[in-house]
Amino acid sequence: MTSKAENQARFGVPVDSMVFARGVRKSFGNAEVLKGIDLNVPTGSVACVIGPSGSGKSTFLRCINHLEEVSGGVLLVDGEFVGYDLRHGKLYEVNNKLLCQRRADIGMVFQSFNLFSHMTALENLIEAPIMVRGMSKGEAKDKAHALLERVGLSAKADAYPRQLSGGQQQRVAIARALAMNPKVLLFDEPTSALDPELVGEVLVVMRDLAESGMTMVVVTHEIGFAREVGDQLIFMDGGVVEERGEPREMIANPQSPRTREFLSHVL
Amino acid sequence: MDRAETQAPPEALTVVPLRHYGLWVGTAITLVILGLILKALATNPAFDWPTVGKYLFHPSIIRGLGQTLLLTITIMVLAIIIGTIVAIMRLSPSRVLNAFASAYIWFFRGAPALIQLIFWFNLSLIVREFSLTLPFVGTLFTIKTNDVMTPFVAAVIALSLHEAGYMAEIVRAGINSVASGQTEAAGSLGMNHRLILRRITLPQAMRFIVPPTGNETINLLKTTSLVTIIAVNDLLYAAQSIYARTFETIPLLIVVAFWYLFVVTILSIGQHYIEQYYGRSDQQQGASLGETLRRAFRFGRVAQPA
Ligand SMILES: Nc1ncnc2c1ncn2[C@@H]1O[C@H](COP(=O)(O)OP(=O)(O)OP(=O)(O)O)[C@@H](O)[C@H]1O
Ligand SMILES: [Mg+2]
């Protein structure tokens, strides 16, 4: 039995699950930031996460690709623990090489773009495919050009991040994540640092991705995007999932008073 | 106010600059002092320019210059390597590595270069010989400290360990200047620690590391003159050997100063191009070469008043 199938049987993970969380906890020192998060993101679906500042949305995303270690619970990506291997009922921390391989399959897009500032857009896109995946330079460049075209920036291949607008930088950052052929893409408030008129161009790219069948977990304050693109909506508050549901229904008719209050602020 | 004047079209108004009398007086005094110095340089027989010309390309002076350059380059390369390693240890999460690196910097940066130099040169007073002895095989080889610790080797060890203390701090500050989001983004792409350091962090840190490293190199070039004390045949030592015989002290010191200034000029030009290379993602026009040289020697107007 593969470890994936074993994990799925053991934890009751649906077969088509890409990201699966059960009772995920995370503490920084004495402060418990995540207090048992449950989530299932089926392959090819989009989960949108909303919630007030400090509710633990970023922390949860960072746990998914093991930028933060979880303190408890089960968190599987494509049926596997990212930072561990389960053997004989124990979780063994995986070595660095394996961790890096698994992380390479999980794309992440940051609020502050985090493009490598000493590299051009093209160099940003080919760096990890060449250095991590061992792709040839020619192949990586062909792929990078195709991706830049896809996000509408083929003219900016040789521009440095400083020469790009925020919206353009974020689109390059999305293309950079896509260059690794990730199984799932995590977005941490990808449009929050943008001027209002630049938000649209990034959302268009994300919507296109969702329609092409990419599995996505999106932390966002763009309720319109969540309603139209999301397959499920999660409202987090104080480190727990306060309410979840089908986006249209939940936005139109929130059950919890906390959700109602939060939505009234962002709508 | 005169009516005609207030109604004049704006382009007809002339600007009368404020007169900076203080600046004029200062400039005049400076010019007088410069004149006096030039006169002394030209007429005082002690400067003896023909002798300066005679020794400028003297074989032993050129050999000394070569030795000085070799020392500077060797020491700087070693210092950059050791300094980078110490800086990485200093930033590592391991307490032991961290403490070791701090102690290294504290000691080798703190103890005077001259004392470290004399210490290494006299290492044989502490350790007479090095030998490698394996169980069952016996002693493989033995070398006397005095045979290895030539003045040149002592100079290289002492000054590179000393300089590495400074370089470690420069590299550490450079690495710290790189935003943490860069490391995170690289990590999320599956890059490991070493790859991130080599491909992401260090190249970006270079922009902050290069300028102070250029200053360190220029400083080191001059610090190497300390090695005359342990009889390394460097530029100053070559000049001293000559004037010890001929008593042409001042002309030979001028020769030495000329060569140091010459090399510093070359280094400043090199530094300019390296800075431009690492700053290319900034895309603002780099300072012109003339600008850099002016800054290096602090002539001309350095800072524009805001
Ligand atoms: N590395 C850390 N060390 C200590 N505390 C942390 C750390 N990272 C996050 N926290 C704390 O965890 C809590 C949740 O942070 P998190 O960034 O996940 O919130 P968020 O929901 O993403 O908020 P925002 O909408 O402002 O981004 C906050 O109280 C924060 O102070
Ligand atoms: Mg956040």
Side-chain angles (χ1 to χ4, degrees):
Chain A
M1 204 189 221
T2 64
S3 67
K4 179 176 168 177
E6 197 176 319
N7 287 341
Q8 285 179 333
R10 181 171 183 140
F11 301 110
V13 183
V15 195
D16 67 341
S17 168
M18 179 53 75
V19 177
F20 179 84
R22 203 171 71 200
V24 169
R25 297 176 173 277
K26 172 70 190 173
S27 305
F28 293 108
N30 287 330
E32 191 166 50
V33 173
L34 300 179
K35 302 171 182 163
I37 304 286
D38 295 333
L39 177 70
N40 178 40
V41 184
T43 304
S45 77
V46 176
C48 290
V49 182
I50 57 173
S53 182
S55 56
K57 308 180 296 292
S58 299
T59 306
F60 180 61
L61 271 197
R62 295 160 54 81
C63 285
I64 295 179
N65 69 355
H66 207 71
L67 278 176
E68 302 282 2
E69 259 169 71
V70 301
S71 319
V74 173
L75 186 45
L76 304 174
V77 175
D78 198 18
E80 306 218 60
F81 290 90
V82 176
Y84 311 92
D85 273 334
L86 183 69
R87 270 178 273 141
H88 320 301
K90 284 183 187 151
L91 286 178
Y92 290 87
E93 260 187 48
V94 298
N95 63 32
N96 232 315
K97 196 171 162 205
L98 196 54
L99 175 61
C100 286
Q101 273 173 21
R102 290 187 186 167
R103 263 197 194 141
D105 285 336
I106 306 171
M108 186 149 188
V109 174
F110 300 86
Q111 180 174 356
S112 48
F113 327 134
N114 294 348
L115 288 179
F116 304 136
S117 63
H118 61 307
M119 296 181 178
T120 63
L122 187 79
E123 287 166 347
N124 265 279
L125 263 64
I126 63 175
E127 177 68 19
I130 292 175
M131 304 304 287
V132 178
R133 295 258 201 249
M135 197 183 274
S136 78
K137 199 166 178 181
E139 193 186 345
K141 276 189 174 171
D142 289 346
K143 181 154 192 214
H145 280 297
L147 282 169
L148 283 175
E149 173 137 28
R150 180 167 180 192
V151 298
L153 288 172
S154 30
K156 297 290 185 186
D158 295 321
Y160 285 99
R162 241 171 281 254
Q163 299 160 327
L164 299 172
S165 75
Q168 291 171 333
Q169 287 190 52
Q170 193 59 298
R171 285 186 281 153
V172 173
I174 294 173
R176 176 175 70 177
L178 289 175
M180 296 299 279
N181 279 334
K183 295 174 180 169
V184 51
L185 263 185
L186 313 175
F187 292 83
D188 193 359
E189 302 196 32
T191 57
S192 296
L194 297 176
D195 291 338
E197 73 268 22
L198 300 179
V199 169
E201 61 185 64
V202 173
L203 292 182
V204 165
V205 170
M206 290 171 61
R207 185 185 296 250
D208 168 59
L209 274 177
E211 278 161 12
S212 74
M214 173 62 74
T215 312
M216 298 167 38
V217 182
V218 184
V219 173
T220 185
H221 290 306
E222 297 294 327
I223 299 297
F225 178 86
R227 177 167 41 207
E228 285 152 39
V229 182
D231 295 300
Q232 59 175 318
L233 183 61
I234 290 101
F235 173 65
M236 272 178 71
D237 191 18
V240 296
V241 176
E242 174 79 14
E243 187 171 349
R244 70 178 79 221
E246 201 282 320
R248 280 169 206 279
E249 213 173 283
M250 191 169 140
I251 292 165
N253 187 17
Q255 299 302 305
S256 143
R258 286 288 301 123
T259 317
R260 204 170 309 142
E261 192 197 332
F262 177 78
L263 285 174
S264 74
H265 286 304
V266 291
L267 275 177
Chain B
M1 202 184 275
D2 192 49
R3 234 189 122 70
E5 205 176 86
T6 44
Q7 284 178 350
E11 60 270 24
L13 297 174
T14 45
V15 176
V16 181
L18 180 64
R19 281 156 211 257
H20 299 276
Y21 296 107
L23 199 60
W24 293 354
V25 172
T27 307
I29 293 176
T30 310
L31 286 176
V32 169
I33 293 175
L34 264 179
L36 290 175
I37 292 175
L38 283 176
K39 181 167 172 282
L41 284 175
T43 57
N44 189 323
F47 288 111
D48 195 3
W49 294 102
T51 312
V52 172
K54 190 174 82 189
Y55 284 115
L56 199 53
F57 296 101
H58 190 281
S60 71
I61 292 288
I62 297 298
R63 222 176 302 128
L65 174 65
Q67 195 77 344
T68 292
L69 291 179
L70 181 66
L71 267 176
T72 306
I73 294 167
T74 314
I75 293 168
M76 203 62 208
V77 168
L78 287 173
I80 289 173
I81 295 170
I82 301 170
T84 306
I85 294 171
V86 174
I88 292 169
M89 288 166 77
R90 183 87 167 74
L91 292 168
S92 100
S94 154
R95 288 252 178 89
V96 176
L97 293 184
N98 195 313
F100 175 84
S102 303
Y104 179 97
I105 294 167
W106 171 77
F107 182 80
F108 285 99
R109 206 172 53 154
L114 186 57
I115 292 176
Q116 295 188 44
L117 197 61
I118 300 172
F119 170 84
W120 284 100
F121 186 56
N122 290 302
L123 189 66
S124 63
L125 297 180
I126 306 173
V127 189
R128 295 223 154 273
E129 55 183 33
F130 295 93
S131 61
L132 181 63
T133 309
L134 293 179
F136 309 117
V137 184
T139 302
L140 284 183
F141 66 88
T142 306
I143 35 178
K144 288 213 159 31
T145 306
N146 270 338
D147 296 341
V148 205
M149 203 51 74
T150 63
F152 187 85
V153 172
V156 166
I157 295 179
L159 292 183
S160 47
L161 290 178
H162 175 64
E163 187 59 44
Y166 287 94
M167 284 311 301
E169 286 296 270
I170 291 174
V171 173
R172 182 173 72 100
I175 291 177
N176 276 339
S177 73
V178 179
S180 64
Q182 299 280 311
T183 317
E184 234 166 54
S188 78
L189 288 165
M191 295 173 78
N192 62 37
H193 287 300
R194 229 174 331 136
L195 204 54
I196 294 173
L197 195 65
R198 183 161 63 83
R199 299 283 308 172
I200 308 298
T201 318
L202 279 179
Q204 292 188 54
M206 284 311 270
R207 296 179 49 229
F208 295 85
I209 293 174
V210 168
T213 303
N215 291 342
E216 283 301 315
T217 311
I218 288 169
N219 238 333
L220 178 65
L221 175 77
K222 294 173 290 179
T223 306
T224 56
S225 61
L226 287 179
V227 301
T228 47
I229 208 140
I230 56 170
V232 176
N233 204 348
D234 78 325
L235 181 57
L236 181 58
Y237 193 81
Q240 284 175 343
S241 324
I242 297 175
Y243 70 64
R245 274 184 285 113
T246 66
F247 299 107
E248 292 157 321
T249 311
I250 300 296
L252 275 153
L253 289 181
I254 292 176
V255 168
V256 171
F258 169 84
W259 281 117
Y260 276 119
L261 284 172
F262 179 80
V263 177
V264 167
T265 309
I266 302 287
L267 287 176
S268 304
I269 295 173
Q271 183 180 353
H272 169 80
Y273 283 108
I274 298 177
E275 273 175 34
Q276 223 170 28
Y277 174 79
Y278 282 110
R280 68 196 183 286
S281 65
D282 261 356
Q283 204 55 22
Q284 27 164 285
Q285 280 288 298
S288 71
L289 185 54
E291 185 78 21
T292 308
L293 289 180
R294 253 196 309 284
R295 226 183 306 140
F297 295 107
R298 304 256 181 273
F299 61 73
R301 215 154 162 186
V302 178
Q304 298 284 343

